[in-house]
Amino acid sequence: MARNKRTREAREAVVETVDGGLAELMPDRDRPRAWTLLVDGAPQSHVDLDDPAYLDFEYQRRLGHIADLVAPPGRPVRAVHLGGGAFTLARYIAATRPRSTQQVVERDTALVRLVRRELPLDPQARIRVRGTDAREGLARIADGWADLVIADVFSGARTPAHLTSTEFLTDVRRVLAPGGYYAANLADGPPLAHLRGQLATAAALFPELALAADPAVLRGKRFGNAVLLGSEGALPVAELTRRCAGDPHPCRVEHGRGLRDFSGGAAAVTDAAAVASPAPPPSVFR
C-alpha cells in the first residue's frame, strides 16, 4: 500500500512503495522545485523542474556531456533511455535539444506513475514511456532508429545480469543509427572485475570505446560509477576529456591503448555466464 508524507506547502518528502522497493522523493533545500529520487535508500535521480538542464549527480553530468556531443548543439536527436528513474536525462535532452524524440523503457510501472504525478513531464516534450523490461522494450525499437542509447538500469542498486551481455549489446547495436552512441552507467569497486568484463563485452561490439570515471574508482580505491561510451565511428574523445576535466565533479577519460590495458584481458560476457553487477557496500549511501 502506498504511503504519502507530502504536503505541497511544506515540500515534505514523498514516500511510496513501488515495484522495486520503497521510493522516496526528497526535496532539495537549495533549489525550490528540485527533488532527489531514492529507491530503498539508493539515490537514483535528481530533477529540477524549473531547470531540467541542471544535472546534479556526477554520472548524470557525464552522460549529459555525451548527450551534448552526439550531434551539433541544439539539433534534435532520437534517444532511447533504458531505465527511467525520474527521467532526468530525457528531460535534459528535451531542454537542450528541442523537438528531440525519445523513448524511455522502465519496468517499474508504479515508479513511473509516482514520477509522472509528482514530477510531471513537459507536455510538449516528445517523450514516450514504455512500462516493460529494458531488453523487451529495446527489441521493439526499429533498426537504426536511435542516435543515442543510454543504459542506466539498476535493481536493488545492481545492474541485472541480462543487461551485461554481448547478446544485449548486439540488440543495442541494431537499434543505433550509423555513428550513433551507446552510453552506459556502470557501478563497481575493487577489484573491478565487473567493469573490466563490461569493457571486454562492449569491445566485442563497438570498435571505438571511451570510459569516464573518477580516478579513485579507476584505481580500484573505492566503489563508484563509470560511464562507458561506445560507437562504430570515431568518438569526440578530446572534447569529452575537456568537459570532464572542467566539470564541477572532474573525472578522467580513458580510451585507446590505455583502456585496452585497463581491461586486463578480461573476457566478453555472454547470456549464459552473465551475473548482476556487484552490490555496493553499505557505506556508499551513508
Side-chain angles (χ1 to χ4, degrees), residues 110-132:
L111 178 61
V112 169
R113 288 193 297 270
L114 169 65
V115 171
R116 281 188 176 278
R117 186 186 75 228
E118 301 295 335
L119 310 176
L121 290 165
D122 180 348
Q124 301 303 313
R126 300 176 181 179
I127 300 173
R128 179 181 181 182
V129 182
R130 296 176 180 267
T132 188

Side-chain angles (χ1 to χ4, degrees), residues 24-244:
E24 301 171 85
L25 284 172
M26 307 297 295
D28 185 333
R29 302 303 179 188
D30 296 323
R31 303 179 75 90
R33 297 186 69 221
W35 300 81
T36 297
L37 169 67
L38 301 93
V39 177
D40 284 344
Q44 301 287 325
S45 305
H46 179 279
V47 169
D48 188 336
L49 295 177
D50 287 334
D51 184 8
Y54 172 78
L55 299 176
D56 185 69
F57 288 5
E58 293 180 25
Y59 83 86
Q60 290 183 333
R61 293 189 61 82
R62 293 161 195 165
L63 289 170
H65 295 323
I66 291 169
D68 290 344
L69 296 172
V70 72
R75 196 191 84 182
V77 297
R78 291 179 173 179
V80 176
H81 304 263
L82 304 178
F87 314 143
T88 302
L89 269 299
R91 299 173 198 265
Y92 178 83
I93 291 173
T96 58
R97 296 181 177 278
R99 302 182 308 284
S100 292
T101 303
Q102 303 186 72
Q103 297 190 43
V104 177
V105 182
E106 172 56 64
R107 70 177 300 169
D108 193 331
T109 55
L111 178 61
V112 169
R113 288 193 297 270
L114 169 65
V115 171
R116 281 188 176 278
R117 186 186 75 228
E118 301 295 335
L119 310 176
L121 290 165
D122 180 348
Q124 301 303 313
R126 300 176 181 179
I127 300 173
R128 179 181 181 182
V129 182
R130 296 176 180 267
T132 188
D133 173 78
R135 241 166 107 162
E136 293 177 4
L138 187 67
R140 299 176 188 175
I141 298 172
D143 294 4
W145 184 85
D147 301 299
L148 175 64
V149 174
I150 296 176
D152 185 18
V153 184
F154 286 84
S155 176
R158 304 177 69 183
T159 302
H162 70 299
L163 304 180
T164 67
S165 68
T166 53
E167 290 89 344
F168 164 64
L169 288 186
T170 296
D171 213 26
V172 170
R173 181 76 182 264
R174 176 191 63 79
V175 165
L176 283 174
Y181 292 176
Y182 168 66
N185 176 31
L186 308 174
D188 199 8
L192 299 178
H194 173 73
L195 182 56
R196 291 189 171 97
Q198 288 305 287
L199 286 170
T201 304
L205 274 300
F206 297 103
E208 297 294 328
L209 294 176
L211 186 72
D214 186 298
V217 173
L218 293 178
R219 290 196 300 267
K221 299 296 185 182
R222 68 173 181 86
F223 193 98
N225 296 86
V227 170
L228 174 66
L229 174 61
S231 178
E232 66 174 6
L235 293 172
V237 173
E239 181 60 20
L240 180 62
T241 300
R242 185 188 69 80
R243 291 179 182 231
C244 287

Side-chain angles (χ1 to χ4, degrees), residues 207-211 237 253-263:
E208 297 294 328
L209 294 176
L211 186 72
V237 173
V253 176
E254 292 283 359
H255 69 288
R257 180 175 179 178
L259 191 55
R260 290 192 296 273
D261 290 345
F262 176 81
S263 65

